[in-house]
Amino acid sequence: MTQTRPMEEAELPPGQRLCVACGLCCNGIWFSQTLISEDEVVPTLALGLTVRPPAADGQRSFSQPCQHHKNGCCSIYGSWRPNVCSSYRCALLIKMEQGAVSFDAALKTVETAKELADAILAEVGHVEGGLVGEAFQHLAHSAPEGNEHGLSPISRLNAGALRVIYLHHFDNPAESPAAAPTSRTGE
Amino acid sequence: MNLHGQILISPDVIARNLGGETVLLNLKSGTYFGLDSVGARVWNLIQIGSTFAAISDSLATEFDAEPSVIESDMNRLLKDMAAQGLVLLPE
């Protein structure tokens, strides 16, 4: 039967429910930018997204957070989107779909990551660079002892914990949708 | 290693449990450390004031390993932790 009403969240497949509950790959928490092809530059600009100048290797990207990610959902899901927006799957989603992680466990991991991110953002406000990428380098090391301008110790710990969660549960380097964190180590 | 003295957590260290693993931050050096589930268990035992002997006994009842292996691994882990400024070992 043809679906004539929007699907309720509970009706979505588990993978989509997890993505709706998460959004960390779209909202600037994991990544500072999303990679696109040269052919996608013009239509991406037409979406109102901020396309960055070419990187040194010519790679194109648009800046995160994506303005079309609203209330946990992609507001242009049914329209044209850059290819990576529909193709990217984080490691947690893959593991859940393979049965290695239950939906409830995956959701718990997402919730923990979002709680950590919210706690950090509550102190620092907006950050540029993705909380596990360039921004992490700043957050984690901004407050050596005696630096009154730095983050609180708890937020620094939370930044490290968030990075650990990203690297252990979400990172999918084989299918990177975006500019990867600048360093893969915790330091 | 003093087997019966209390192992102390450095005042420069804060920790967060992430459901099985633990992240430590040495505020003085700005260095992060990750502990797996066994390391996290050791950290929990240190937090409640356990001695080397008490930690070894606990691990021997919780894990399927020879006590001598546990003691050897514990000795190495705690010395590493002390060298990184995470714990203070008893004299």
Side-chain angles (χ1 to χ4, degrees), chain A residues 116 136 140-141 153 156-158 160-161 164 168-169 186-187, chain B residues 12 14-16 18 21 23-28 30-32:
Chain A
L116 288 168
F136 170 79
H141 302 293
R156 292 174 64 202
L157 178 64
N158 285 341
V164 166
H168 286 193
H169 298 284
E187 295 184 40
Chain B
D12 298 318
I14 54 177
R16 181 169 189 123
L18 292 174
E21 54 194 336
V23 176
L24 310 176
L25 171 60
N26 184 330
L27 293 166
K28 198 166 186 176
T31 307
Y32 290 92

Side-chain angles (χ1 to χ4, degrees), chain A residues 48-66:
Chain A
L49 297 169
T50 302
V51 175
R52 295 186 174 193
D57 63 358
Q59 177 65 57
R60 304 306 300 263
S61 65
F62 69 85
S63 296
Q64 286 209 31
C66 177

Side-chain angles (χ1 to χ4, degrees), chain B residues 27-72:
Chain B
L27 293 166
K28 198 166 186 176
S29 66
T31 307
Y32 290 92
F33 300 87
L35 299 176
D36 64 11
S37 58
V38 178
R41 177 64 180 139
V42 171
W43 189 259
N44 289 341
L45 291 166
I46 295 172
Q47 283 180 311
I48 61 173
S50 300
T51 64
F52 182 98
I55 295 172
S56 296
D57 289 346
S58 292
L59 296 184
T61 62
E62 296 170 18
F63 297 94
D64 183 19
E66 290 293 326
S68 61
V69 174
I70 288 175
E71 287 177 13
S72 172

